[in-house]
Amino acid sequence: MSFIDILRAEFKLEYNDVFRRKSVLVMLVLYPYIFTLFTLFIGYAGGSPEYFTMRVKVEPVVYLITASYMLMSIFASIDVLLWRPLYDERNGTLIYIIASPVSRLKYYMALPFPRFTELLLLGSTSILPVYTYYYGLDGLLLGILVMLLISIGCVVMIPFAIVIVGLSHRIGESWRVLNIVRPLIMVVMGIYYPRVYMPLAGYIIGGLIPSSHIVEVVQGLLMGFHSNYFMLLVLAFTLFTIYLPLGSWSIGLWEKKKVREGVKTS
Amino acid sequence: MTHAVEVEGLVKTYRVRSRRGFFKYSVELIEAVKGISFTVDYGSVVCLLGPNGAGKTTTIKILATLLLPDSGTARVAGYDVVKEAGKVRENIGLMLTVEKGFYGKLTGRENLEYFAALYGIPRREAERRIDYLIKLLELDKLGADRKLYEEFSLGMKARLSLARALLKDAPILLLDEPTLGLDPPSARRIRELVRDIAHKEGKAIIYTTHNMFEAELVCDRILLINKGVIVAEGTVDELKDKIPKLKVINITLKSGRNPAEVIGEYPFKKEVGVEENNTFRVKLYVQKPEEVLGEVLKKLVNSGGEVVDVKIEEPTLEDVFIYFSEGSV
């Protein structure tokens, strides 16, 4: 079975799910704005936009909508992976997936793509208008570049998420584990609080997450860091390659455990 | 000729943990399958017939590579279910639950397309196969190919589930209680299809049920399973012949003393059921009804009972099952 066929099936599943569930569609479009408004409200309550611009060297609206968009794209994509085994178990589809001859790595690699393409498309309703408003045509081009970088950030994150899926679902009540692991990843990835400002330990731990390097590139472009962007991209892809076999191993471990205990039918 | 399915000395024990304190757990061992052996040939339907908790679903799960056995071997289409699970998965069609197992926001057709992709069926071939199955299972007449799965009735869900099991045209089908909870027309349609598929297409089908009537209608061979052990196997007629020349006397009587007390001293197997309006149904399993019937009726009448009906019947499959599961009649 080809990766393309699995991808096509997943696209159909995801897009039908979103378009036949209007509330999800509306939330997807509004989420970056809601998040930005919320964080701006908190920020303005404690300081001024001028002070933010002076310290961070970028407009707060631009910074926060980019951060929200990055967070949403990367996490919504990997959330598909993290929660999918539980969703399939509840649906009763997990047994049929485990009993199918599909290549597990191909299957899990394909899962997040439909969601992150949705989110990329939605970038045109969130970051592109804002960038164009603040920076004109240059802003539009910068917005497209940021969207491209975020899409790379989503892809390189997939094998890492597969490793987390396999390990966390080996533990009973894995949703509790995910609820702890997920925010931790969110923090050390440095989306809202850039890694360069973190203590060394946080910087190193964050560096093990492939997307964190892409986040650093985007922040560098916005805030004018003088990082070696090429090296950061190489680092992200190197981690992607390292996590790929680990992901396969991790899913194998989880499936073995499932089969040893018996995959539940109801 | 090799068998489609060969099972030899299969054993599975579940370890069930129960919390006994903040850190304490107790472990209970439940022996679900205790060394069963059987074979299934292509072109036949074999029933695993037994009550709830007999070990039917455990056996099906092991054969479907969804559960590891503790010991024993099982080969499906010639492949070992433990060592060659991938090959086994390519050769089985599976139906484990009727009431769920699909995505709610997809139509019946879209769900089948999704699973066809997971099974690695090329797109054009999948489309042809799905069209064929939708017609075969009359899903088009029910509108199930266009409706969202979340709007399906149980009967439609069962048909779609069978369609998925048939999707990759696998030589072996494992069907776990496929008619459970279905309305009579849907159950009947599924039973007819299962027989046809086995006999006309030469597939090997393992069909679990606890419904004697269904087993008698659908299966070419029956494995009676109880408490993890196969207690008897054969065709329906062979199984009936295994009960040593027994016939069943059915007596219906009104009022009087409880018949269980009145005829309690007789050595033969008896069952007494109580219905409304003080009506009792008595079943006696005897070799020569004519020798005991007069005496039993006399006793029942003398105890104040009014005999409404008396029938002498050949044993049913249910009687066979009771005979084998409880040791003797």
Side-chain angles (χ1 to χ4, degrees):
Chain A
M1 73 231 38
S2 73
F3 182 67
I4 300 295
D5 286 337
I6 302 169
L7 211 52
R8 190 181 288 120
E10 277 304 321
F11 264 95
K12 211 170 211 177
L13 176 62
E14 173 66 25
Y15 276 78
N16 279 319
D17 202 44
V18 169
F19 284 100
R20 287 168 185 169
R21 228 189 279 267
K22 300 290 181 295
S23 57
V24 176
L25 188 62
V26 170
M27 277 314 291
L28 276 175
V29 176
L30 293 182
Y31 187 82
Y33 292 103
I34 293 170
F35 218 98
T36 304
L37 286 174
F38 178 71
T39 32
L40 279 175
F41 171 75
I42 302 277
Y44 285 0
S48 70
E50 290 76 21
Y51 187 64
F52 184 96
T53 312
M54 195 180 80
R55 291 291 301 271
V56 186
K57 298 181 187 69
V58 65
E59 281 289 332
V61 174
V62 172
Y63 182 83
L64 289 172
I65 201 148
T66 308
S68 304
Y69 179 63
M70 273 199 290
L71 183 85
M72 192 185 165
S73 302
I74 294 171
F75 273 87
S77 303
I78 67 161
D79 272 350
V80 174
L81 264 172
L82 296 179
W83 301 102
R84 184 60 177 266
L86 295 176
Y87 173 69
D88 277 323
E89 196 159 25
R90 197 197 64 198
N91 252 351
T93 38
L94 186 65
I95 37 169
Y96 296 100
I97 292 164
I98 291 184
S100 76
V102 68
S103 152
R104 301 304 188 251
L105 192 59
K106 279 184 192 172
Y107 173 71
Y108 283 98
M109 283 296 291
L111 289 184
F113 277 89
R115 177 64 63 88
F116 100 69
T117 54
E118 271 166 24
L119 294 160
L120 275 181
L121 292 173
L122 292 173
S124 55
T125 67
S126 59
I127 65 167
L128 289 188
V130 172
Y131 276 46
T132 312
Y133 175 76
Y134 279 95
Y135 307 122
L137 188 62
D138 284 351
L140 182 68
L141 295 174
L142 180 65
I144 292 170
L145 180 62
V146 167
M147 281 170 62
L148 186 71
L149 284 167
I150 291 172
S151 66
I152 293 172
C154 293
V155 174
V156 294
M157 194 67 173
I158 298 172
F160 178 75
I162 297 175
V163 175
I164 305 282
V165 169
L167 296 179
S168 57
H169 289 295
R170 273 178 64 81
I171 303 164
E173 298 199 13
S174 51
W175 60 273
R176 289 184 199 277
V177 179
L178 288 178
N179 279 335
I180 296 167
V181 170
R182 202 175 160 276
L184 282 178
I185 297 172
M186 214 183 273
V187 170
V188 292
M189 218 162 84
I191 289 180
Y192 279 100
Y193 190 82
R195 275 175 65 228
V196 287
Y197 299 135
M198 282 182 192
L200 187 63
Y203 187 81
I204 292 170
I205 293 169
L208 296 173
I209 302 169
S211 296
S212 66
H213 303 290
I214 306 295
V215 169
E216 202 173 324
V217 172
V218 173
Q219 285 168 342
L221 286 174
L222 284 180
M223 296 157 72
F225 295 155
H226 295 291
S227 301
N228 187 341
Y229 297 144
F230 179 72
M231 268 313 291
L232 288 171
L233 286 169
V234 168
L235 215 52
F237 278 107
T238 306
L239 287 172
F240 169 86
T241 317
I242 290 171
Y243 285 124
L244 213 53
L246 288 176
S248 181
W249 165 80
S250 160
I251 284 291
L253 275 186
W254 167 67
E255 205 173 297
K256 267 183 198 158
K257 185 182 182 250
K258 275 270 160 208
V259 171
R260 202 169 49 241
E261 291 171 352
V263 187
K264 287 193 176 73
T265 48
S266 57
Chain B
M1 197 181 86
T2 55
H3 300 291
V5 176
E6 293 172 79
V7 174
E8 185 65 48
L10 210 60
V11 175
K12 180 68 196 178
T13 303
Y14 290 109
R15 291 165 60 87
V16 181
R17 287 203 330 170
S18 319
R19 196 184 278 274
R20 289 280 177 268
F22 194 70
F23 291 112
K24 282 185 183 169
Y25 287 92
S26 67
V27 177
E28 191 190 348
L29 298 178
I30 298 171
E31 288 182 280
V33 175
K34 302 173 189 168
I36 62 172
S37 303
F38 62 89
T39 57
V40 179
D41 290 323
Y42 290 105
S44 69
V45 186
V46 171
C47 264
L48 284 177
L49 175 67
N52 293 335
K56 306 185 296 287
T57 302
T58 299
T59 308
I60 286 274
K61 277 187 178 179
I62 292 172
L63 295 177
T65 71
L66 294 169
L67 179 64
L68 286 178
D70 294 333
S71 62
T73 57
R75 298 183 77 79
V76 175
Y79 299 106
D80 188 285
V81 294
V82 178
K83 294 173 193 152
E84 297 162 296
K87 287 283 179 193
V88 172
R89 288 168 184 171
E90 286 171 16
N91 284 283
I92 55 167
L94 188 63
M95 181 177 177
L96 278 173
T97 39
V98 169
E99 75 277 11
K100 56 185 190 171
F102 289 96
Y103 296 104
K105 289 287 177 192
L106 296 184
T107 63
R109 175 181 283 276
E110 287 165 350
N111 264 301
L112 291 177
E113 285 167 356
Y114 179 86
F115 283 98
L118 289 197
Y119 296 155
I121 305 171
R123 202 146 54 104
R124 282 177 196 280
E125 195 187 320
E127 275 172 23
R128 269 199 303 273
R129 186 83 186 145
I130 290 167
D131 284 340
Y132 165 73
L133 290 171
I134 281 174
K135 282 203 174 67
L136 180 75
L137 288 148
E138 296 170 355
L139 283 162
D140 49 348
K141 286 183 188 165
L142 300 168
D145 58 331
R146 295 179 307 278
K147 265 189 191 172
L148 295 185
Y149 180 73
E150 63 187 12
E151 297 162 358
F152 276 26
S153 67
L154 195 61
M156 285 152 77
K157 286 179 178 177
R159 288 176 194 219
L160 191 68
S161 201
L162 184 59
R164 174 175 49 200
L166 297 169
L167 197 55
K168 59 181 160 179
D169 207 9
I172 296 159
L173 297 179
L174 306 173
L175 312 178
D176 189 22
E177 311 212 47
T179 59
L180 192 68
L182 295 192
D183 58 294
S186 297
R188 188 177 186 176
R189 180 75 189 127
I190 286 188
R191 285 196 290 264
E192 286 168 359
L193 276 169
V194 168
R195 274 193 77 82
D196 281 357
I197 289 162
H199 297 157
K200 291 181 186 163
E201 297 182 23
K203 293 186 192 299
I205 300 180
I206 299 186
Y207 189 107
T208 75
T209 181
H210 57 250
N211 185 333
M212 316 283 164
F213 163 75
E214 184 167 272
E216 207 159 348
L217 281 179
V218 178
C219 301
D220 299 307
R221 205 154 58 85
I222 293 172
L223 307 174
L224 287 179
I225 183 166
N226 192 31
K227 294 174 185 164
V229 178
I230 293 176
V231 288
E233 66 174 285
T235 62
V236 174
D237 290 337
E238 282 169 0
L239 286 173
K240 284 178 182 172
D241 285 346
K242 283 181 183 174
I243 300 184
K245 294 176 190 169
L246 283 179
K247 292 199 173 163
V248 184
I249 304 174
N250 280 305
I251 305 170
T252 309
L253 69 154
K254 272 191 170 179
S255 65
R257 275 172 61 203
N258 186 337
E261 294 167 13
V262 180
I263 55 170
E265 81 266 20
Y266 287 106
F268 44 77
K269 164 97 180 175
K270 43 205 161 287
E271 285 171 24
V272 178
V274 186
E275 294 186 354
E276 284 180 7
N277 305 325
N278 205 18
T279 302
F280 296 99
R281 286 192 189 279
V282 183
K283 266 187 167 189
L284 308 174
Y285 298 81
V286 293
Q287 289 187 351
K288 292 180 179 169
E290 61 280 7
E291 284 183 4
V292 291
L293 187 57
E295 199 180 325
V296 167
L297 287 177
K298 199 172 165 186
K299 279 207 163 196
L300 291 172
V301 171
N302 287 345
S303 69
E306 179 195 337
V307 176
V308 179
D309 190 27
V310 178
K311 277 182 198 157
I312 299 171
E313 292 170 350
E314 293 294 323
T316 62
L317 188 57
E318 188 176 338
D319 300 318
V320 174
F321 181 74
I322 290 166
Y323 174 84
F324 282 108
S325 59
E326 294 185 8
S328 63
V329 172

